[in-house]
């Protein structure tokens, strides 16, 4: 990790403040816990060398070939809408470099994150260890393989978050939620995608809300909806 000069550290601190005030708050992220978290967790430490100066820009950032880190406002809104509690266990699908994992780890009892890229899994583990997220575990696996086998150890989960978009949430993944558990994902097809919050009710049924629009890159391995033919 490149050592920041005092001047660049000050620049990043100002950029972090601007991100919270100009990007995140206007997106209806008003939960004080989430805002404080964004200020405490240095996003630049989770980016490849050469991208640190863009850490707080309102854009998706490439962290590996074919893998993007979501824009900060989208990450913040996903976390806010999960409404995590200190006793919660969380499943994250799509670790990337571990930034979202680090954020989640500060609000929950345990986070298990599944990453399909072996190189990113190694990077994320190192980043999380350096950050001190001792309650976060990274599993290198295809989350969708064998009916979500890599996601079953630790289930049922109080919360599940997908860090990219999917056509629809598979029923087998919803089955891993505990009663009262929430799953949040960005679903649909470009150009129309929506944040989808699915809650498992005590009787085993599911309620669904779609509170906001966002377009996000696809998560690898999830099935696409079949094309409609006239």
């Amino acid at each position: 990790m490149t050592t920041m000069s005092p001047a660049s550290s000050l620049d990043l601190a100002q950029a972090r403040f601007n991100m919270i005030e100009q990007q995140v708050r206007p997106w209806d992220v008003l939960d004080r816990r989430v805002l404080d978290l964004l200020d405490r967790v240095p996003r630049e430490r989770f980016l490849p060398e050469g991208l640190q100066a863009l850490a707080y820009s309102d854009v998706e950032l490439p962290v590996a070939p074919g893998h993007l880190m979501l824009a900060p406002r989208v990450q913040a809104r996903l976390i806010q809408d999960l409404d995590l509690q200190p006793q919660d266990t969380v499943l994250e699908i799509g670790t990337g470099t571990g930034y979202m994992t680090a954020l989640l780890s500060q609000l929950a009892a345990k986070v298990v994150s599944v990453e399909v890229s072996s190189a990113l899994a190694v990077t994320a583990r190192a980043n999380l260890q350096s950050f001190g997220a001792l309650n976060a575990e990274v599993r290198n696996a295809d989350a969708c393989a064998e009916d979500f086998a890599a996601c079953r150890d630790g289930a049922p989960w109080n919360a599940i978050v997908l860090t990219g978009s999917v056509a629809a949430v598979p029923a087998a993944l919803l089955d891993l939620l505990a009663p009262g558990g929430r799953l949040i994902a960005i679903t649909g097809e470009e150009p129309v995608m929506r944040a989808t919050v699915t809650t498992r009710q005590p009787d085993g049924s599911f309620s669904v809300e779609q509170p906001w629009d966002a377009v996000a890159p696809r998560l690898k391995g999830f099935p696409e909806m079949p094309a409609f033919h006239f």
Side-chain angles (χ1 to χ4, degrees):
M1 191 67 67
T2 302
T3 302
M4 301 286 177
S5 69
S8 61
S9 295
L10 290 173
D11 291 343
L12 286 168
Q14 183 63 52
R16 188 181 303 122
F17 175 83
N18 292 343
M19 174 197 75
I20 293 169
E21 297 301 321
Q22 298 171 15
Q23 300 173 38
V24 176
R25 282 185 184 272
W27 244 50
D28 291 330
V29 179
L30 304 175
D31 187 327
R32 188 73 252 172
R33 298 179 307 155
V34 177
L35 296 174
D36 288 346
L37 197 56
L38 295 173
D39 192 44
R40 290 201 319 269
V41 181
R43 200 168 190 260
E44 67 274 11
R45 288 176 54 180
F46 293 84
L47 286 169
E49 188 171 356
L51 288 180
Q52 287 92 345
L54 299 175
Y56 300 102
S57 302
D58 188 21
V59 294
E60 296 164 352
L61 293 172
V63 294
H67 295 266
L68 294 170
M69 180 186 284
L70 294 175
R73 57 189 168 86
V74 176
Q75 292 177 315
R77 188 70 188 268
L78 288 170
I79 291 173
Q80 175 178 267
D81 288 5
L82 266 186
D83 190 26
L84 293 176
Q85 303 303 311
Q87 70 275 14
D88 283 348
T89 58
V90 182
L91 172 68
E92 176 190 35
I93 298 181
T95 318
T97 59
Y99 175 67
M100 273 280 283
T101 320
L103 295 174
L104 295 165
S105 76
Q106 302 301 290
L107 296 175
K110 181 175 177 61
V111 181
V112 172
S113 190
V114 182
E115 172 55 53
V116 68
S117 164
S118 56
L120 277 176
V122 169
T123 297
R125 289 187 190 111
N127 286 340
L128 290 164
Q129 182 177 17
S130 174
F131 176 69
L134 302 180
N135 60 337
E137 173 192 344
V138 178
R139 297 176 184 170
N140 177 210
D142 179 352
C144 298
E146 300 179 24
D147 210 19
F148 295 93
C151 303
R152 294 185 175 277
D153 184 13
W157 304 99
N158 301 116
I160 300 175
V161 58
L162 279 57
T163 64
S165 68
V166 294
V169 178
L173 190 54
L174 292 174
D175 285 342
L176 300 182
L177 281 175
R182 294 86 57 208
L183 182 149
I184 191 164
I186 296 170
T187 64
E189 307 284 340
E190 287 195 78
V192 181
M193 295 184 184
R194 304 215 71 188
T196 301
V197 184
T198 305
T199 303
R200 186 166 205 164
Q201 303 300 323
D203 64 0
S205 64
F206 296 96
S207 62
V208 178
E209 297 178 291
Q210 292 186 312
W212 44 280
D213 297 329
V215 174
R218 278 293 197 241
L219 271 179
K220 298 182 182 301
F222 281 77
E224 293 295 331
M225 299 292 285
F228 182 78
H229 298 285
F230 291 95

